[in-house]
Amino acid sequence: MYLFRLIYYSLSTIQAQEGSLQQELKTILLASQRNNPPLGVSGALAFNYNYFAQVLEGDRKAVTNTFCKIAKDPRHSDIVILDASPISERMFESWNMAFVGGSVSENQLRRYCTSSQFHPEKMTAVSLLRFMRDVIESSQNSLKSVKVS
Ligand code: FAD
């Protein structure tokens, strides 16, 4: 297996209504739970009303195939790949897809996003990875699903 990590961000096309976002996120979470484990793909997904940012880890063919499917999804557009590289170990091993959002503090946003908003286009692959890892580690929320302001 060639262990690989791909990091991208995109613009959300989901209608800016609380209900629509939650409903679509639920569908995405269910698809991730259904499809990622059999492929050995793990990762994390950060989102707010404007952006998605996702880390996919696993065998490079499985990660590539998963990304190609996600890239065709009309719920987002303008995808920018920040990094796609071989890795020696996973950062999100125990997550078929960790959701990063609501329990994010302004401190965490300022530390990694250099603003009080989640703006992945202003972040590097490294700062995005650290941001996701920090939020997941500091979150006591067992729902694994939260929204970034
Ligand atoms: P679907 O069309 O959802 O389903 C295919 C078949 O599976 C259906 O015909 C049905 O028989 C069966 N099925 C559907 N729902 C269920 C169910 N609840 N229970 C049992 N059987 C069912 N997708 C991922 O897989 N992994 C990701 O990490 C991921 N990340 C995403 C990130 C973003 C930002 C976005 C916008 C989307 C993401 N998606 C992800 C969703 C992805 O784009 C596809 O919509 C999704 O993978 C399609 O799932 P599917 O191939 O199972 O097809």
Side-chain angles (χ1 to χ4, degrees), residues 8 28 31-32 34-36 52 54 69-70 73 75 97:
Y8 74 86
I28 292 169
S32 306
R34 192 169 62 243
N35 299 323
N36 295 1
F52 287 109
Q54 190 170 29
K69 183 166 72 167
I70 294 168
D73 195 309
R75 288 171 287 195
M97 193 48 60

Side-chain angles (χ1 to χ4, degrees), residues 21-71:
L21 182 65
Q22 294 305 328
Q23 186 50 46
E24 293 302 340
L25 288 170
K26 196 173 163 192
T27 312
I28 292 169
L29 178 62
L30 288 174
S32 306
Q33 287 172 338
R34 192 169 62 243
N35 299 323
N36 295 1
L39 298 171
V41 171
S42 56
L45 178 70
F47 54 88
N48 64 7
Y49 285 110
N50 300 314
Y51 297 102
F52 287 109
Q54 190 170 29
V55 179
L56 296 166
E57 298 177 336
D59 176 69
R60 73 179 171 190
K61 196 168 178 188
V63 166
T64 304
N65 289 342
T66 300
F67 173 72
C68 288
K69 183 166 72 167
I70 294 168

Side-chain angles (χ1 to χ4, degrees), residues 7 82 112 119-130:
I7 307 169
L82 294 178
Y112 300 101
H119 281 308
E121 85 274 22
K122 293 181 182 165
M123 298 170 79
T124 64
V126 171
S127 60
L128 192 53
L129 268 181
R130 288 184 179 156

